[in-house]
Amino acid sequence: MTKLDGQSLNIEAKNIEKQLELFPEINVDGKIDFDKLKQILGDYIEDSEERYRFTWNGKGEVLRLSQTPSKGTLRPAQEESKNWDDTENLYIEGDNLEVLKLLQKSYFNKVKMIYIDPPYNTGGDFVYKDNFKDNIQNYKKITGQVDSEGRNTTTNREYSGRYHTDWLNMMYPRLRLARNLLKDDGVIFISIDDHEVHNLKKLCDEVFGESNFVSNLVWQKKFSRANDARYFSTMHDHILCYTKSNIERSKGGWKIGLLPRGDETPAGYGNPDHDTRGVWTSVVLSAKSGTEKLLYNITTPSGRVCSPPSGRYWSVSEERFKELVKDNRIWFGIDGDGTPRLKTFLSEVQDGLRPNSILFHDEVGHNQEAKQETKSLFDNKGVFDSPKPVRLLEQLLQIGNVAKNDIILDFFSGSSTTAHATVQLNAQDGGNRKFIMVQLPESTEEKSEAYKAGYKNIAEIGKERIRRAGEQIKEELKEKYESASKADKVEMKHPEELDIGFKVFKLDSSNIKEWNPGEYENIQLAIEDSLTPYVPGRTEEDVVYEMMLKMGLDLTYPVEKHDVNGKTIYSIGYGFLMICLADSIDISIAEKMIEIKDENGQQEFRALFRDEGFKSDTDKTNVKETLRSAGLAEESFITL
């Protein structure tokens, strides 16, 4: 049934619709590309004006946006964290564009693998609405932090008319910033469906370089046919794989991780001659090019004389061939009459299997498995609509060749499957991989099971999943450890050493006030207010972690507190950076800092104070000179 809207025919829209039907190639986000239409109708433009390029409306703006420094910070939320003092994992709640900017100093060139499952383009109005003027304030608005009416941050379904453009403007700046965080031997995997895989491929070619494209992996996400599909029953998603650098593998570039063999014999391997070295496969013994020395006759065990195939050469010399025959490495077929082939034993090749470009559901899991995994963790409640299976992420971590101490980043972390898989893999092989999860606190629908279960946004679901999955994995490891032999225990990770915690940080505006005398009735009030440089409601810990970010320190570095006459010294990274934000600082603070430095064996260190925090100018000079005498460099004496 068609419902009349009482409006007359939109002739302009109808004409555009007809043109787009006739010439689909002129369709640019639902509008007509008139230059392309002219060409189709025979009005050709000069070739000199044509060039291959990938562009869209707003590309230049979002490029600038990605290069604009963030004025925000990440505030610690210890009450929502787990094992705060010991963990090396991070969960960051906030707009990932701003978070990626804030991570640039501390994690530049440190991340081994990135996996993201960004919003697929459905034509909806994206939650991630970037704002050039003040993206932090914009973030607070879309998450309802400063809007008295409250806002639902889930996507609405109003078609914007910028189908591809909006999605590209959302992805482009984030990918550019993400690339900076990858190590030179780093790799990124991006899940996507058919609607935007073509644009994502072109986007990644630009950001990472065409030569760094590795593969378009196809994941079989379903195991049963959907007969109610309009055309085809869609059984797959894509996962694009790109490396950070095209440096040759032998010189430090990315090397693909091989998959464990298990007990199965790979396809193509057998042992028809019962060779004691085990199963083998065979390869041709000829090559396209060579010298005269590689042209000789071979007599098979059956007595047949054979030469290299027409136009080819044997790939080994006659002398080497005789050595291979003596070592039973040449296969002439069951009846001894075949063209010679070289045997390659499984026991002598690389210790693992090369991954396939098709990820079958029975090997890496499927959508239903993923839903059941989350339901089992959340008391059989379906709190998340489209999680990825843990087995899929585990295999990507193996393919990514993520070493036991590497960092993994997921900045569209959703239900935190990536974190779950990281902890699971650590439990299996004794690793200490660290994860960084980033998620916008996108509101859950009021009618959803998640909302009814008490989870008001997706970030709450992600954090709770990590808590529950970590405990489950630890209990399973305990059972395995307790039943293991003494010899096996030596190779295993002790359950108490497994890092199942995470530090929670939340995106916010800077803790440090901006100098803006225009906000005050007179300059005196402005000067008095500037003596307290913190934004009201912020703590010293907030400022400490902001300084760590601004100075490029890892947010998981240990932070110790030392009390000196009621004043607190924060020692970060075992005395590498020391911060005292108290009032009336005197020589006793400097002396304690030197003591902390010496106890930790630090050769170089930094000290940070409030500029107005010293008891007097003389005390400031004495503190500075005392620290300098202990080895503090001039530029390492820092004041706010």
Side-chain angles (χ1 to χ4, degrees):
M1 181 181 73
T2 302
K3 186 176 180 180
L4 297 177
D5 58 10
Q7 297 181 6
S8 62
L9 178 67
N10 187 328
I11 298 174
E12 179 185 354
K14 197 67 177 177
N15 288 337
I16 291 174
E17 182 183 333
K18 288 180 180 178
Q19 292 296 322
L20 296 180
E21 286 178 2
L22 282 172
F23 309 113
E25 59 265 58
I26 68 172
N27 188 339
V28 179
D29 287 334
K31 298 178 181 178
I32 294 176
D33 181 339
F34 286 100
D35 285 337
K36 180 65 71 66
L37 179 60
K38 286 180 180 179
Q39 291 183 355
I40 291 172
L41 297 178
D43 187 5
Y44 299 106
I45 61 174
E46 291 292 328
D47 288 346
S48 60
E49 296 181 17
E50 292 183 320
R51 63 184 183 276
Y52 179 79
R53 60 181 178 178
F54 180 47
T55 189
W56 63 88
N57 184 33
K59 183 178 181 181
E61 286 185 302
V62 293
L63 172 62
R64 290 192 293 275
L65 179 62
S66 70
Q67 298 176 157
T68 304
S70 175
K71 294 183 179 180
T73 191
L74 300 177
R75 296 178 64 191
Q78 293 192 35
E79 69 283 356
E80 297 181 34
S81 305
K82 182 169 185 173
N83 302 341
W84 176 274
D85 293 329
D86 303 313
T87 186
E88 295 183 273
N89 300 316
L90 295 177
Y91 189 99
I92 303 174
E93 190 174 305
D95 175 1
N96 52 19
L97 179 64
E98 292 301 308
V99 172
L100 287 169
K101 290 181 181 181
L102 291 169
L103 294 178
Q104 293 295 302
K105 272 194 175 181
S106 296
Y107 295 93
F108 182 85
N109 209 38
K110 290 184 179 179
V111 175
K112 178 57 182 282
M113 175 180 142
I114 296 173
Y115 170 77
I116 55 171
D117 182 14
Y120 293 173
N121 194 357
T122 60
D125 190 11
F126 287 105
V127 177
Y128 296 84
K129 293 171 182 261
D130 301 321
N131 183 296
F132 284 86
K133 294 181 180 178
D134 190 342
N135 213 38
I136 298 294
Q137 189 72 1
N138 179 60
Y139 160 69
K140 289 186 174 184
K141 285 182 179 179
I142 66 174
T143 53
Q145 297 180 46
V146 295
D147 191 333
S148 60
E149 297 178 359
R151 292 193 183 192
N152 185 353
T153 62
T154 56
T155 58
N156 66 55
R157 295 299 164 196
E158 294 178 5
Y159 190 82
S160 70
R162 293 159 55 93
Y163 187 86
H164 297 295
T165 298
D166 288 346
W167 192 84
L168 289 167
N169 282 334
M170 184 270 292
M171 290 295 295
Y172 185 44
R174 289 164 172 82
L175 289 177
R176 292 190 77 252
L177 290 165
R179 183 184 181 277
N180 294 338
L181 302 180
L182 280 175
K183 297 170 66 175
D184 286 341
D185 64 344
V187 63
I188 184 170
F189 296 95
I190 308 173
S191 285
I192 196 68
D193 67 358
D194 287 335
H195 292 96
E196 289 293 350
V197 66
H198 56 298
N199 278 331
L200 179 61
K201 175 70 168 61
K202 288 185 281 189
L203 193 62
C204 289
D205 282 347
E206 179 167 327
V207 173
F208 297 97
E210 288 185 62
S211 60
N212 292 327
F213 170 70
V214 178
S215 183
N216 177 1
L217 305 176
V218 177
W219 169 47
Q220 186 185 7
K221 65 179 181 179
K222 293 182 180 180
F223 59 87
S224 60
R225 187 189 311 272
N227 273 326
D228 59 349
R230 184 179 181 186
Y231 295 118
F232 291 93
S233 175
T234 303
M235 306 287 287
H236 71 281
D237 270 350
H238 304 266
I239 303 176
L240 294 189
C241 176
Y242 280 79
T243 59
K244 165 71 175 287
S245 170
N246 60 8
I247 298 172
E248 292 180 20
R249 289 184 299 171
S250 60
K251 298 179 180 178
W254 179 69
K255 297 179 182 179
I256 194 167
L258 302 180
L259 301 176
R261 287 202 190 102
D263 297 327
E264 290 185 19
T265 300
Y269 281 84
N271 195 0
D273 61 348
H274 307 292
D275 197 304
T276 57
R277 288 165 289 196
V279 296
W280 50 268
T281 189
S282 64
V283 296
V284 295
L285 198 66
S286 62
K288 290 181 179 180
S289 60
T291 65
E292 291 294 325
K293 290 183 179 181
L294 297 176
L295 292 173
Y296 55 89
N297 292 329
I298 291 175
T299 303
T300 69
S302 67
R304 183 173 69 89
V305 177
C306 59
S307 303
S310 178
R312 296 177 68 90
Y313 301 78
W314 295 123
S315 55
V316 296
S317 67
E318 188 171 10
E319 182 181 358
R320 176 59 181 156
F321 176 78
K322 291 177 181 178
E323 292 175 355
L324 293 170
V325 170
K326 187 176 180 180
D327 196 28
N328 192 25
R329 289 180 179 268
I330 298 297
W331 177 243
F332 292 96
I334 291 290
D335 57 4
D337 192 49
T339 301
R341 293 174 65 88
L342 178 65
K343 291 164 64 174
T344 302
F345 294 91
L346 183 61
S347 59
E348 296 176 351
V349 299
Q350 294 169 310
D351 188 20
L353 301 176
R354 197 153 294 276
N356 291 320
S357 60
I358 299 179
L359 307 175
F360 294 103
H361 69 77
D362 57 335
E363 296 175 353
V364 300
H366 45 75
N367 282 346
Q368 287 303 313
E369 178 178 313
K371 288 182 180 179
Q372 290 305 314
E373 284 172 345
T374 54
K375 289 180 93 173
S376 67
L377 287 170
F378 287 89
D379 308 316
N380 208 34
K381 294 182 174 68
V383 297
F384 200 81
D385 290 335
S386 54
K388 293 293 184 286
V390 174
R391 286 197 292 160
L392 173 64
L393 268 298
E394 279 187 306
Q395 182 150 131
L396 292 180
L397 288 168
Q398 291 171 334
I399 295 172
N401 206 10
V402 180
K404 291 186 177 181
N405 290 298
D406 279 332
I407 298 173
I408 301 100
L409 168 66
D410 184 343
F411 54 90
F412 287 99
S413 64
S415 69
S416 295
T417 304
T418 304
H420 188 159
T422 301
V423 178
Q424 183 74 60
L425 190 57
N426 284 340
Q428 290 172 7
D429 66 5
N432 189 38
R433 301 169 186 84
K434 281 80 71 173
F435 64 73
I436 303 175
M437 300 292 105
V438 184
Q439 178 58 44
L440 185 80
E442 181 181 345
S443 298
T444 53
E445 296 282 357
E446 291 188 12
K447 295 181 180 179
S448 67
E449 285 192 59
Y451 189 91
K452 293 174 183 176
Y455 302 104
K456 301 301 186 289
N457 63 62
I458 291 175
E460 291 179 6
I461 297 172
K463 287 177 285 188
E464 185 61 19
R465 191 220 181 125
I466 303 173
R467 295 186 192 102
R468 297 189 182 201
E471 290 296 338
Q472 183 184 77
I473 294 168
K474 185 175 179 180
E475 285 303 312
E476 292 170 353
L477 183 59
K478 278 183 180 178
E479 293 178 11
K480 185 178 178 182
Y481 189 84
E482 289 169 1
S483 62
S485 65
K486 286 186 178 180
D488 288 339
K489 284 180 179 178
V490 174
E491 301 296 325
M492 293 175 63
K493 193 178 197 71
H494 192 283
E496 296 305 321
E497 295 175 348
L498 182 66
D499 187 355
I500 60 172
F502 56 96
K503 289 185 175 182
V504 176
F505 288 86
K506 296 191 177 185
L507 178 66
D508 209 330
S509 55
S510 174
N511 302 295
I512 311 301
K513 291 178 182 175
E514 290 189 46
W515 172 250
N516 191 0
E519 292 182 354
Y520 299 87
E521 294 180 3
N522 59 66
I523 194 66
Q524 184 59 37
L525 287 174
I527 293 172
E528 290 175 2
D529 191 54
S530 70
L531 298 180
T532 306
Y534 316 143
V535 172
R538 306 298 173 88
T539 66
E540 285 192 349
E541 283 84 357
D542 290 335
V543 178
V544 166
Y545 279 98
E546 179 166 358
M547 293 303 102
M548 289 172 66
L549 265 180
K550 299 295 169 60
M551 298 175 75
L553 301 185
D554 192 317
L555 289 174
T556 63
Y557 276 2
V559 178
E560 300 170 318
K561 295 181 183 180
H562 300 269
D563 183 78
V564 181
N565 302 322
K567 300 176 179 62
T568 301
I569 295 175
Y570 297 88
S571 171
I572 296 102
Y574 305 105
F576 175 74
L577 169 65
M578 285 174 278
I579 299 176
C580 185
L581 302 170
D583 293 320
S584 301
I585 291 173
D586 56 24
I587 195 71
S588 64
I589 297 296
E591 291 170 345
K592 182 62 177 178
M593 285 183 169
I594 294 170
E595 181 185 323
I596 295 169
K597 162 201 173 284
D598 291 340
E599 285 178 354
N600 288 284
Q602 290 287 357
Q603 298 300 313
E604 298 180 5
F605 67 108
R606 304 174 188 177
L608 187 148
F609 310 90
R610 282 179 47 234
D611 196 40
E612 300 297 330
F614 297 93
K615 186 180 291 185
S616 66
D617 288 343
T618 300
D619 286 292
K620 181 178 180 180
T621 301
N622 289 340
V623 167
K624 183 176 181 180
E625 292 304 316
T626 300
L627 292 173
R628 283 184 63 185
S629 67
L632 184 73
E634 179 71 27
E635 65 273 11
S636 296
F637 184 87
I638 306 162
T639 59
L640 287 177

